[in-house]
Amino acid sequence: MTEDLVAAAVAESKAHDGWCKLMGDWDFEAPPVPYELLRAVVEGVHAAGGRVAAHCQSAAGVLSAARAGVDSIEHGMGMPEECVDLMAGHGSAYVPTLTAFAHSATQIKDNARGRLWHAGHRTMIRRVREAHDAGVTVLAGTDSAPYGNVATEVGHLIEAGLPAEAAVGAASWTARAFLGLPSLTENAPADITVYATDPRTTPEALHHPTRIMLRGRIVR
């Protein structure tokens, strides 16, 4: 089983720009994928030159993924405090997708399970600033319709305590650097968004671009 999963993960990474994504867990109360299995996949994909992202919605799942050295942790609900140093040590990124959880928070029932969910949600928000302060790369991902609504995610990151410039970078230059994409260099394809005011000082401007250029082509 382990060998089959490693082989599938390696094949996935080779077919998709060097990345594969694992389900480190699913429900926040369910047992996570065992650490040994996650570690075997990470080692196999890294040996093949790829990287691993892990979906984690339980404290145990986040801890297993952080210990295994995945390259990116998605969500991170209930993230144990020790995961921050583990991510920093492995060079892992944190993609909390706060937009999706903020939307879900209004729909969670006030019962025992719901209170556990909200506790995990509050913890993941707190870890955003702690991760940033520890040198972890925090990135903006929405995972919520309307997809691509990254400006809202930047706002949530700022509310969680990320400095405005770091939050804007999480959706642009920091993300490009982490993914190995070119920045603004001569003769490189250009992805540029222009605003009336500097989003680093006025983050609300992200909702109102005046010009968008993708791969050197003006689309708006």
Side-chain angles (χ1 to χ4, degrees):
M1 176 181 174
T2 299
E3 293 79 7
D4 291 342
L5 181 58
V6 172
V10 169
E12 183 77 6
S13 69
K14 290 182 177 179
H16 293 94
D17 296 326
W19 280 89
C20 73
K21 184 174 182 179
L22 294 178
M23 303 302 294
D25 54 36
W26 179 245
D27 186 88
F28 68 96
E29 291 184 295
V33 174
Y35 161 77
E36 292 77 11
L37 189 56
L38 281 178
R39 183 61 191 168
V41 169
V42 170
E43 289 178 348
V45 172
H46 284 179
R51 293 200 278 182
V52 180
H55 164 109
C56 301
Q57 279 190 231
S58 71
V62 181
L63 181 57
S64 289
R67 288 179 59 211
V70 300
D71 300 280
S72 177
I73 290 179
E74 323 302 305
H75 314 310
M77 173 174 268
M79 180 186 292
E81 185 176 0
E82 63 189 287
C83 291
V84 172
D85 287 338
L86 287 168
M87 287 191 294
H90 288 299
S92 307
Y94 181 31
V95 190
T97 63
L98 298 177
T99 300
F101 282 82
H103 176 73
S104 298
T106 63
Q107 304 173 354
I108 300 298
K109 295 180 179 179
D110 185 17
N111 52 29
R113 176 180 166 83
R115 286 188 286 274
L116 284 174
W117 189 96
H118 281 291
H121 183 210
R122 290 191 297 270
T123 297
M124 69 184 289
I125 292 173
R126 187 165 66 251
R127 297 290 181 250
V128 169
R129 180 58 192 247
E130 293 173 355
H132 170 75
D133 289 347
V136 175
T137 297
V138 178
L139 299 179
T142 59
D143 198 30
S144 177
Y147 299 103
N149 185 19
V150 73
T152 297
E153 182 70 8
V154 170
H156 283 303
L157 290 174
I158 293 172
E159 290 175 1
L162 215 63
E165 183 165 352
V168 175
S172 52
W173 60 84
T174 302
R176 291 183 68 89
F178 180 76
L179 295 171
L181 298 174
S183 186
L184 293 179
T185 56
E186 187 173 358
N187 295 322
D191 293 341
I192 302 172
T193 307
V194 180
Y195 302 96
T197 57
D198 189 340
R200 294 173 298 178
T201 55
T202 313
E204 296 80 7
L206 291 172
H207 292 276
H208 308 287
T210 59
R211 182 72 70 193
I212 300 174
M213 177 183 290
L214 296 177
R215 298 174 177 86
R217 183 172 62 90
I218 296 175
V219 296
R220 176 176 172 180

